[in-house]
């Protein structure tokens, strides 16, 4: 049995100096070392008077706690910060994340949300608890899952007929509730949590979303590995890589994750075949994946399976016309034009490399002229979505266009982002095809048959449309519309960067894309691969 501890009997000198006393009789070692007189250790019983403390006890002082606000203060002096902190403590009503200034251009600055978004945000703040021990939460309640998903859908759903490929967002709650595979529910949870964390600058939810992302990725790999040779992927297996790609856009978890997930979504959709893409939720998913595949095929200069005759016709039999898909059909044929030039590499390599001297560019010219006529037909069918700038008589040359780029474009009123984005894609196609015609006429070693328009016409039209694309992208950037509008501007701006006829326009596009890449994590890593 260990001995009972007893009170110290240190000498008076050691007690005064608050040092350890060895209680040596007559003179302790501390006093001997300092050469001072030692009173010796205490002798006899020690009595402590506690009367005053018992009669007049002191109350325990409570520490006042105030929840720290997540909002950031900018351009304020130190005195202003202190006064703001004092006011927040006095009122005990710190600023809520709903009223924070949002620095990300993907999100709107308006803090007045729809009633459903307000209720979802309140439910999340009330029910959510951060995970512990570096593991995902054991389970999120159905209230939290529905709240995160409602918050995401309501802020990203475009209630506009010009954006039908985004209507698959409306089906996300239904897909989540009917999902039979864990990867679907977990990926939707990770993506909606990441969006909420970025939107409200909530780091705990953002970190938790990364943990769920890794779980969803593992579950998707296991689901694909269990598929048999002739199995047809269901809508959930098609949706999961698309959702994970959106997560990469919001968070930028890996350097090549965005492109890898988009490629996976396209490959899984191709496994269904062209005849199994028209039912239920698969139809809007197919249109979204096809449009994205068309843009990637242009930027990476890679022919797509969706450009085959079966994929170009079977899914659209007896279906209403769609300006997005009609334009995507033209997108999918552009890599074939560039393939005739026999220049390997991405779109940037095509326009940075001269045409080899032994290449016959006649097939490329014929296909390019056909696609330009298809664009003219598209503009006639959808005149409210197309912009026209030049006429056949306009023959501006590179020498005469140096001053025109400095002219300010006319100011426009309030824009319709969805409508302007379709117009931007149309204008980007015209920039690319016109510059291909200009490149073939100026670099080909073999004589070409006369074209319908002059070389100056192709150059001038490409310049005007490049300016219009940058203007539209700048207006959408200033508007800070929620959801995918800014992200869908990336492809037209990339085409301006690589294909615009003037270095000044290309530099403006690079600066604009640099601003976006600094604030959209997944975009920066993707642009490094181009």
């Amino acid at each position: 049995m260990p001995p009972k501890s007893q009170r110290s009997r240190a000498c008076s000198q050691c007690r005064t100096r608050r040092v350890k006393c060895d209680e040596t009789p007559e003179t302790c070692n501390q006093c001997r070392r300092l050469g001072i007189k030692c009173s010796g250790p205490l002798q006899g019983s020690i009595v402590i008077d506690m009367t005053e403390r018992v009669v007049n006890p002191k109350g325990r002082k409570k520490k006042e706690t105030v929840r720290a606000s997540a909002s950031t203060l900018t351009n304020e002096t130190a005195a202003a910060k202190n006064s703001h902190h004092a006011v927040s403590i006095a009122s005990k009503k710190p600023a809520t994340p709903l009223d924070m200034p949002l620095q990300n251009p993907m999100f709107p600055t308006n803090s007045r949300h729809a009633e459903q978004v307000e209720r979802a945000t309140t439910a999340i703040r009330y029910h959510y608890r951060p995970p512990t021990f570096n593991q995902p939460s054991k389970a999120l309640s159905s209230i939290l899952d529905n709240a995160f998903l409602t918050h995401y859908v309501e802020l990203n759903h475009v209630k506009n007929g010009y954006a039908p490929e985004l209507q698959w967002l409306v089906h996300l709650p239904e897909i989540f509730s009917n999902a039979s595979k864990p990867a679907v529910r977990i990926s939707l949870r990770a993506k909606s949590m990441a969006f909420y964390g970025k939107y409200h600058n909530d780091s705990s939810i953002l970190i938790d979303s990364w943990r769920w992302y890794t779980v969803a990725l593992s579950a998707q790999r296991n689901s694909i590995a269990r598929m048999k040779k002739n199995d047809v992927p269901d809508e959930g297996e098609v949706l999961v890589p698309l959702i994970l790609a959106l997560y990469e856009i919001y968070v930028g978890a890996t350097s090549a994750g965005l492109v890898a997930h988009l490629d996976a979504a396209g490959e899984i959709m191709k496994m269904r075949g062209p005849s199994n893409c028209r039912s239920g939720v698969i139809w809007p998913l197919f249109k979204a994946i096809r449009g994205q595949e068309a843009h990637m095929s242009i930027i990476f200069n890679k022919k797509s399976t969706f450009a085959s005759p079966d994929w170009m016709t079977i899914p659209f039999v007896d279906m209403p016309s769609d300006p997005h898909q009609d334009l995507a059909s033209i997108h999918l044929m552009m890599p074939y034009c560039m393939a005739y030039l026999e220049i390997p590499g991405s779109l940037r390599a095509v326009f940075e490399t001269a045409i080899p001297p032994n290449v016959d560019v006649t097939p490329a010219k014929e296909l390019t002229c056909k696609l330009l006529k298809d664009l003219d037909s598209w503009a006639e069918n959808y005149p409210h979505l197309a912009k026209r700038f030049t006429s056949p008589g306009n023959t501006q040359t590179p020498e005469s266009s140096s001053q025109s780029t400095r002219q300010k474009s006319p100011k426009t009123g309030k824009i319709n982002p969805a409508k302007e984005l379709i117009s931007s894609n149309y204008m980007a196609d015209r920039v690319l095809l016109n510059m291909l015609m200009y490149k073939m006429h100026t670099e080909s070693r073999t004589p070409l048959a006369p074209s319908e328009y002059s070389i100056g016409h192709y150059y001038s039209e490409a310049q005007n449309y490049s300016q219009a694309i940058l203007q539209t992208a700048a207006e959408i950037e200033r508007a800070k519309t929620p959801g995918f509008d800014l992200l869908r501007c990336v492809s037209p701006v990339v085409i301006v960067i690589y294909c615009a006829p003037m270095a000044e326009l290309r530099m403006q596009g690079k600066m604009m894309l640099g601003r976006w890449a600094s604030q959209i994590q997944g975009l920066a890593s993707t642009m490094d691969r181009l």
Side-chain angles (χ1 to χ4, degrees):
M1 182 175 180
K4 293 183 179 180
S5 61
Q6 58 182 356
R7 190 173 182 85
S8 172
R9 296 178 177 273
C11 65
S12 301
Q13 289 73 16
C14 290
R15 286 178 180 274
T16 303
R17 295 172 50 235
R18 295 180 179 274
V19 295
K20 176 68 175 177
C21 181
D22 59 358
E23 302 179 9
T24 303
E26 297 183 357
T27 303
C28 68
N29 290 332
Q30 293 282 5
C31 295
R32 183 182 297 109
R33 181 175 60 84
L34 297 176
I36 60 177
K37 185 178 180 180
C38 180
S39 61
L42 300 179
Q43 302 294 330
S45 301
I46 300 175
V47 179
I48 300 175
D49 187 7
M50 301 289 292
T51 305
E52 183 68 21
R53 186 171 296 182
V54 173
V55 174
N56 299 318
K58 294 182 179 180
R60 179 174 295 179
K61 186 177 181 180
K62 294 184 178 180
K63 185 177 180 181
E64 184 177 5
T65 59
V66 178
R67 180 178 295 178
S69 173
S71 61
T72 57
L73 302 176
T74 57
N75 300 328
E76 292 185 0
T77 61
K81 291 182 180 180
N82 294 334
S83 62
H84 174 75
H85 181 64
V87 171
S88 64
I89 293 179
S91 61
K92 296 184 180 180
K93 291 183 179 180
T96 61
L98 283 176
D99 300 320
M100 293 189 304
L102 301 174
Q103 304 298 329
N104 196 316
M106 293 174 60
F107 306 127
T109 56
N110 187 5
S111 62
R112 299 181 62 85
H113 302 154
E115 183 179 356
Q116 292 181 344
V117 178
E118 296 283 359
R119 288 202 300 265
T121 305
T122 302
I124 292 170
R125 292 173 179 171
Y126 183 79
H127 291 280
Y128 180 78
R129 295 294 180 271
T132 57
F133 302 110
N134 199 30
Q135 293 294 328
S137 304
K138 292 296 182 181
L140 289 183
S141 64
S142 58
I143 296 177
L144 271 177
D145 280 331
N146 292 331
F148 278 120
L149 207 54
T150 300
H151 178 272
Y152 179 80
V153 172
E154 290 298 323
L155 287 178
N156 287 278
H157 172 41
V158 180
K159 300 178 177 64
N160 194 305
Y162 293 117
E165 75 276 17
L166 294 182
Q167 303 306 318
W168 60 273
L169 291 173
V170 185
H171 300 279
L172 289 183
E174 177 186 355
I175 295 174
F176 184 86
S177 59
N178 298 332
S180 59
K181 297 183 178 179
V184 179
R185 300 175 66 90
I186 298 175
S187 62
L188 287 172
R189 179 183 300 164
K191 180 257 305 177
S192 58
M193 291 176 69
F195 181 84
Y196 182 93
K198 294 293 291 185
Y199 192 96
H200 295 290
N201 294 335
D202 193 322
S203 58
S204 62
I205 292 181
L206 198 60
I207 294 173
D208 198 13
S209 72
W210 160 250
R211 301 186 180 110
W212 285 116
Y213 168 81
T214 58
V215 176
L217 191 59
S218 177
Q220 174 70 356
R221 289 170 177 169
N222 294 334
S223 177
I224 296 297
R226 287 193 295 267
M227 289 183 60
K228 298 180 181 179
K229 183 176 181 180
N230 297 325
D231 288 350
V232 177
D234 59 16
E235 59 189 26
E237 289 167 332
V238 176
L239 178 64
V240 168
L242 199 61
I243 295 299
L244 296 180
L246 292 177
Y247 181 90
E248 291 285 350
I249 290 175
Y250 299 138
V251 179
T254 57
S255 59
L258 174 60
V259 177
H261 289 315
L262 291 177
D263 289 341
E267 292 300 323
I268 296 176
M269 180 62 73
K270 294 168 189 175
M271 293 171 63
R272 290 185 61 90
S275 58
N276 295 322
C277 300
R278 301 175 46 172
S279 60
V281 183
I282 285 295
W283 174 242
L285 284 176
F286 164 71
K287 293 193 294 183
I289 293 174
R290 184 175 184 263
Q292 186 63 44
E293 179 94 0
H295 290 303
M296 293 178 62
S297 66
I298 294 176
I299 295 175
F300 292 100
N301 189 21
K302 182 177 63 175
K303 297 179 181 179
S304 172
T305 306
F306 289 119
S308 64
D310 289 344
W311 281 100
M312 294 283 275
T313 55
I314 294 177
F316 303 99
V317 175
D318 299 330
M319 300 299 289
S321 60
D322 184 345
H324 288 271
Q325 298 306 313
D326 292 346
L327 204 56
S329 299
I330 301 176
H331 295 339
L332 291 168
M333 296 305 299
M334 290 185 181
Y336 290 85
C337 293
M338 294 182 281
Y340 285 125
L341 301 180
E342 299 183 10
I343 300 177
S346 64
L347 179 65
R348 177 172 61 179
V350 170
F351 281 91
E352 290 181 352
T353 307
I355 299 176
N358 58 342
V359 173
D360 182 11
V361 299
T362 302
K365 178 188 173 185
E366 293 176 353
L367 183 55
T368 303
C369 291
K370 177 184 179 301
L371 294 180
L372 282 171
K373 292 180 179 179
D374 292 342
L375 281 177
D376 292 337
S377 301
W378 186 92
E380 293 176 358
N381 294 331
Y382 309 102
H384 55 292
L385 300 176
K387 291 183 179 180
R388 296 296 187 94
F389 291 95
T390 60
S391 61
N394 190 346
T395 57
Q396 194 173 20
T397 60
E399 292 77 11
S400 63
S401 63
S402 59
Q403 296 181 355
S404 63
T405 57
R406 299 183 179 89
Q407 298 176 357
K408 294 184 178 180
S409 302
K411 294 183 178 180
T412 58
K414 186 176 181 180
I415 64 171
N416 184 334
K419 182 178 178 181
E420 293 296 329
L421 286 169
I422 304 177
S423 179
S424 294
N425 288 318
Y426 163 77
M427 293 186 292
D429 289 350
R430 297 205 74 96
V431 170
L432 176 56
L433 294 176
N434 277 286
M435 289 308 296
L436 278 177
M437 292 293 292
Y438 180 81
K439 181 180 180 68
M440 287 184 285
H441 279 282
T442 56
E443 297 182 6
S444 176
R445 301 293 180 88
T446 58
L448 295 176
S451 301
E452 183 179 0
Y453 302 121
S454 64
I455 300 177
H457 167 82
Y458 296 122
Y459 187 95
S460 176
E461 187 169 280
Q463 176 184 326
N464 290 333
Y465 280 118
S466 298
Q467 291 174 336
I469 290 172
L470 295 178
Q471 177 188 358
T472 301
E475 290 174 350
I476 294 178
E477 181 182 10
R478 286 192 297 268
K480 294 186 178 181
T481 54
F484 305 106
D485 290 343
L486 190 65
L487 297 173
R488 294 162 68 210
C489 284
V490 170
S491 180
V493 174
V494 170
I495 290 178
V496 170
I497 293 174
Y498 295 154
C499 308
M502 298 192 65
E504 183 178 352
L505 295 173
R506 295 193 293 270
M507 182 57 63
Q508 291 178 13
K510 289 180 181 179
M511 294 174 61
M512 180 177 294
L513 209 58
R515 291 196 302 270
W516 300 350
S518 64
Q519 302 184 55
I520 303 176
Q521 282 74 5
L523 180 59
S525 58
T526 303
M527 295 308 302
D528 294 338
R529 298 189 58 195
L530 300 180

